[in-house]
Amino acid sequence: EHQALLEAMEQQSISVAKAGIVCSLSARTAVLAAANPVGGHYNNGKTVAENLKLPPNLLSRFDLLFVLLDRPDSQMDRLLGQHVMALHGGTATRGTAGLLADAAPSAWADSEAYKAWKSADRGDVPISVRLREGAKAADGDPVPAHILRKYLSYARQYIQPVLSREAAEVLRDFYLQLRRDGASAESVPITSRQLESLVRLPAGPAP
């Protein structure tokens, strides 16, 4: 299965063999993948590749890698349990955003640090608080789905972001820094693909 995923990301095609018929289908699409660590628990003493048991040539083809750790949190665990039970009970109409908005403020939200963040600099804010604040501010979906689809279609057809010289220099310097930091054999390989990723990432929100 790793080989099939690598083929889709490397050659942008998928080979299918069924009932004696072999064909290659175009697969020009974004790939969003999730993987569980070996043994069920993420070992902070190991690299991402060692935890996931994925080959480096496959890992290097992802633009972004996120490590999500399942740490015990009574409030978030209660919200998750409430959401799952609502799904099975057929009452999950507001989704996770509604649950976050209705959640009681955490101890962190009552602290002076949270008040300072809310009034000025946001600093290092837990993702649970940021989601809760966004859910409170939004009335339903921030952008209706059909409007978002039209916007994306228009942007693909008419908007072509151009990378300025200053931005290119910033991306180049950051890439060189990544190469220096990734010289260790224990890190995820940093290749020219990461430089291409750095060009794609700012081009996405540019429109």
Side-chain angles (χ1 to χ4, degrees):
E1 57 189 37
H2 292 167
Q3 186 61 35
L5 184 58
L6 180 61
E7 179 188 2
M9 301 181 70
E10 182 181 30
Q11 304 176 14
Q12 296 183 339
S13 64
I14 296 178
S15 299
V16 178
K18 196 74 171 180
I21 300 176
V22 180
C23 62
S24 181
L25 305 177
S26 178
R28 295 180 60 87
T29 183
V31 176
L32 177 65
N36 291 321
V38 177
H41 295 281
Y42 191 86
N43 187 345
N44 291 323
K46 297 182 179 180
T47 64
V48 175
E50 291 173 340
N51 273 286
L52 301 181
K53 291 295 183 183
L54 292 176
N57 60 339
L58 180 58
L59 273 180
S60 65
R61 295 188 180 277
F62 286 96
D63 289 349
L64 296 172
L65 296 175
F66 297 97
V67 177
L68 304 180
L69 301 179
D70 185 17
R71 293 192 176 96
D73 184 293
S74 58
Q75 185 179 17
M76 295 306 297
D77 291 344
R78 179 179 60 82
L79 289 174
L80 179 60
Q82 183 178 348
H83 179 64
V84 171
M85 297 309 296
L87 286 175
H88 286 280
T91 59
T93 57
R94 297 188 60 195
T96 306
L99 292 174
L100 289 170
D102 294 338
S106 64
W108 190 90
D110 293 331
S111 66
E112 293 298 327
Y114 172 75
K115 296 176 182 177
W117 163 78
K118 192 171 183 180
S119 60
D121 185 15
R122 300 210 166 193
D124 296 329
V125 182
I127 185 63
S128 59
V129 176
R130 280 183 282 167
L131 288 173
R132 190 180 301 110
E133 288 301 304
K136 290 179 180 178
D139 183 12
D141 293 333
V143 179
H146 68 283
I147 298 296
L148 181 59
R149 284 193 295 269
K150 290 181 179 179
Y151 169 74
L152 293 177
S153 177
Y154 177 87
R156 289 195 187 102
Q157 185 173 357
Y158 296 105
I159 300 179
Q160 302 296 329
V162 178
L163 191 66
S164 66
R165 179 177 300 178
E166 294 79 6
E169 292 177 354
V170 171
L171 294 179
R172 181 201 60 195
D173 294 342
F174 184 71
Y175 168 71
L176 294 176
Q177 183 63 42
L178 285 178
R179 288 281 292 179
R180 287 191 292 268
D181 296 341
S184 171
E186 297 181 353
S187 65
V188 176
I190 303 298
T191 66
S192 58
R193 297 192 194 102
Q194 275 62 48
L195 182 56
E196 295 175 352
S197 299
L198 291 174
V199 174
R200 284 194 296 269
L201 290 174

